[in-house]
Amino acid sequence: LEVKILKKQIDDSNFSSSISWYRWSPEEDFQEKVKRHKPRLIINAGFAGALNSKLSLGEVVVIDKIALKEDNSFKALKVGIAPRQLLLNIGLKDRFPFASLLTTEEPVTDSLLRDELRMQSGADVVDMEGAYLYQWAKKRSVPFVCFKVVTRNNRKKGEKIK
């Protein structure tokens, strides 16, 4: 699985030794912890459903655009240079495809809704937290990198990838 490959290649690089991992319990105040530690990079790694039918189940994508809803339309924001620079630094420059992300407040399980969201937003994948983390990081001028594993594809039963 690609996630294991990513983890193995990160373990084999100097990436692991050059970062600090922060964990906190629900009792701790996240905002206070972050203020104390002043992160130089936010990495969001998680799962996302496919809106783009060309993505495969289990495929790992790197988010380079965030689709944000403004009024009745969507605006695509570039994440910046951080994702490309991180992949270059750890030797994974051409390993993962780039994709655009839409964040929703509730899970998107209906295929008609997925199709509609794809047409309206142009996003490739959908999750429930990535855009919020991106906005938080951007507001504080902290670089943001987001990896997503595709957990559901948007192909109709029997449909082939073109």
Side-chain angles (χ1 to χ4, degrees):
L1 185 65
E2 304 237 2
V3 176
K4 290 181 183 176
I5 292 168
L6 174 63
K7 182 183 181 326
K8 175 74 174 128
Q9 290 190 12
I10 288 175
D11 287 346
D12 291 347
S13 71
N14 64 0
F15 179 74
S16 291
S17 61
S18 66
I19 62 171
S20 298
W21 297 95
Y22 297 109
R23 296 181 192 268
W24 58 90
S25 68
E27 295 81 36
E28 292 181 84
D29 181 19
F30 174 75
Q31 299 290 341
E32 286 303 314
K33 182 143 187 143
V34 170
K35 279 183 194 173
R36 273 197 321 271
H37 293 289
K38 297 179 179 69
R40 293 183 296 169
L41 174 69
I42 299 291
I43 298 175
N44 172 231
F47 301 95
L51 297 176
N52 182 338
S53 63
K54 293 180 180 171
L55 294 174
S56 300
L57 185 65
E59 185 171 2
V60 176
V61 295
V62 179
I63 302 305
D64 66 346
K65 288 186 217 79
I66 305 280
L68 291 178
K69 189 167 187 175
E70 287 187 349
D71 300 319
N72 291 329
S73 64
F74 288 88
K75 177 171 99 173
L77 300 177
K78 289 188 178 185
V79 171
I81 193 169
R84 294 176 197 286
Q85 190 62 49
L86 176 68
L87 293 177
L88 184 64
N89 289 350
I90 61 174
L92 298 176
K93 184 179 134 225
D94 298 318
R95 183 72 173 100
F96 302 103
F98 289 97
S100 57
L101 173 71
L102 173 66
T103 296
T104 60
E105 293 180 9
E106 295 185 21
V108 179
T109 57
D110 179 81
S111 62
L112 293 176
L113 178 57
R114 279 197 306 266
D115 291 344
E116 184 179 325
L117 288 172
R118 169 73 175 161
M119 286 180 10
Q120 290 177 353
S121 70
D124 297 306
V125 294
V126 60
D127 77 352
M128 293 177 59
E129 74 284 335
Y132 303 122
L133 291 168
Y134 165 74
Q135 289 174 315
W136 185 92
K138 184 176 180 177
K139 183 177 178 183
R140 290 157 182 82
S141 299
V142 177
F144 175 80
V145 177
C146 182
F147 296 93
K148 294 294 177 179
V149 178
V150 177
T151 58
R152 170 177 292 203
N153 67 36
N154 198 27
R155 287 192 290 282
K156 310 292 184 265
K157 215 172 203 175
E159 180 184 353
K160 304 281 186 214
I161 296 177
K162 295 174 183 154

